[in-house]
Amino acid sequence: MKTLKIAIQKSGRLNEKSVELLKNCGLSFENYKSSLISPVSNFPLEILFLRDDDIPEYVQDGIADLGIVGENVIQETEVEVSYLQRLGFGRCSLKIAVPNTNDIQHINELNGKSIATTYPAILSKFLKEKGIKADIRTISGSVEISPGLGLSDAICDLVSTGGTLKSNGLKPFADVMSSEAVLIGRKGSENEELVKELIQRIQSVLRAKETKYVVLNVERDNLSAVIKLLPGIKSPTVVPLAEENWVAVHTVIPERDFWDRISQLKQAGAQGIVVMPIEKIIL
């Protein structure tokens, strides 16, 4: 069995979160800020640090078994890889934006206009689907300044908070695609078992981030009402307390569900509610 290889971003918005995810999976590696390859000391894995644009091709060509990259890069490079897991970070949108002074109302008004972008393949497909013929001008970096320099009528670029658009006098006009970091792989990997094991580790970390460990006290008379609100992974754990007729309920629940149910829990008689983070969840 060969050493597994995973390619991640060398620098940029996905680098820190990718490194954090792998370390949370129990992987031990060093020198990731100064090296292009970092061996993992406690798992048969090497981490390759690459440019975004190179990651899908490295995976497609079998140089790397896995990769962590934004969906936008995969769509732009048009490579053949498999989506293995959405990772929940690096969320952004590819949007068409126009100057604040532009009173454009409908997307068809882009016909005959010039649009600057670093994503010509994605934009071309989007415009074709909308039946729009525009002049796509490919620019590497600093796309936001092109309308102000008279180089284009609009831009198509990644937007996360919208701050960069605002500071350059632009406003979002149309959504082209949504993107987030994904784990990609290729078919026919020689390291299929190792790939499965690493995916299992990643999934256990992602589940833990989305859930909370909840402990609360309740009288036995109110126990059934509380359990209906806190189903747990299978069912809650109920432990008798020293005080007669009282129990402690231990459970795991998605955080979004817990906040929706706090009022109901209190109304059902729950007291002393404690919410704790979870490090890993392995099913």
Side-chain angles (χ1 to χ4, degrees):
M1 184 179 291
K2 295 182 179 180
T3 299
L4 191 67
K5 291 182 174 61
I6 184 170
I8 69 172
Q9 190 181 60
K10 170 64 177 175
S11 60
R13 63 191 183 89
L14 299 186
N15 171 266
E16 185 177 335
K17 288 292 186 180
S18 298
V19 169
E20 179 185 339
L21 174 62
L22 294 177
K23 286 187 174 290
N24 286 339
C25 288
L27 304 177
S28 179
F29 54 95
E30 299 178 351
N31 302 323
Y32 63 88
K33 291 185 177 180
S34 58
S35 175
L36 296 179
I37 302 178
S38 287
V40 174
S41 61
N42 58 348
F43 190 83
L45 174 70
E46 288 182 343
I47 303 171
L48 313 181
F49 294 89
L50 308 174
R51 291 175 59 253
D52 261 4
D53 295 349
D54 294 333
I55 293 175
E57 291 186 10
Y58 268 57
V59 174
Q60 175 186 255
D61 296 342
I63 300 171
D65 300 278
L66 300 168
I68 295 177
V69 69
E71 291 177 90
N72 57 293
V73 179
I74 301 170
Q75 296 298 321
E76 182 62 28
T77 53
E78 299 180 308
V79 297
E80 293 186 7
V81 294
S82 299
Y83 282 54
L84 301 179
Q85 180 68 51
R86 292 184 177 277
L87 300 176
F89 61 84
R91 290 192 174 106
C92 57
S93 298
L94 189 63
K95 295 179 181 289
I96 295 175
V98 297
N100 291 330
T101 54
N102 193 318
D103 59 356
I104 186 171
Q105 298 294 320
H106 193 275
I107 196 168
N108 287 338
E109 294 179 61
L110 291 173
N111 269 306
K113 304 294 184 182
S114 58
I115 307 174
T117 186
T118 55
Y119 299 96
I122 297 175
L123 178 59
S124 176
K125 182 179 179 181
F126 174 80
L127 295 176
K128 184 177 181 180
E129 290 174 350
K130 298 295 183 180
I132 296 168
K133 294 182 179 181
D135 177 19
I136 298 176
R137 299 183 178 179
T138 304
I139 296 178
S140 299
S142 302
V143 176
E144 296 86 357
I145 67 172
S146 60
L149 296 176
L151 299 176
S152 68
D153 300 303
I155 70 164
C156 178
D157 203 15
L158 287 179
V159 177
S160 51
T161 64
T164 303
L165 291 182
K166 186 176 181 180
S167 63
N168 283 278
L170 300 170
K171 59 184 178 182
F173 171 66
D175 291 327
V176 176
M177 71 169 290
S178 296
S179 177
E180 69 176 282
V182 293
L183 180 71
I184 59 173
R186 65 182 181 89
K187 296 181 180 179
S189 172
E190 298 177 13
N191 297 303
E192 186 175 348
E193 291 304 314
L194 285 177
V195 168
K196 288 181 179 178
E197 184 175 343
L198 184 57
I199 291 175
Q200 184 181 57
R201 291 193 184 198
I202 289 173
Q203 289 175 340
S204 72
V205 171
L206 296 179
R207 289 190 200 102
K209 285 186 175 182
E210 297 171 354
T211 57
K212 296 295 181 183
Y213 190 89
V214 178
V215 181
L216 57 85
N217 299 329
V218 65
E219 289 185 281
R220 284 191 180 275
D221 294 343
N222 299 323
L223 179 59
S224 60
V226 167
I227 287 178
K228 287 180 181 178
L229 296 169
L230 296 174
I233 293 179
K234 288 189 176 179
S235 63
T237 299
V238 180
V239 181
L241 295 178
E243 187 172 347
E244 189 176 354
N245 201 42
W246 280 83
V247 296
V249 178
H250 297 243
T251 192
V252 172
I253 187 171
E255 185 173 14
R256 63 181 183 277
D257 292 344
F258 173 77
W259 291 115
D260 290 340
R261 300 179 189 186
I262 284 182
S263 296
Q264 297 177 64
L265 285 168
K266 295 176 72 175
Q267 290 174 5
Q271 297 181 18
I273 302 172
V274 178
V275 183
M276 294 174 282
I278 300 173
E279 186 175 337
K280 308 285 188 301
I281 296 180
I282 300 174
L283 299 179

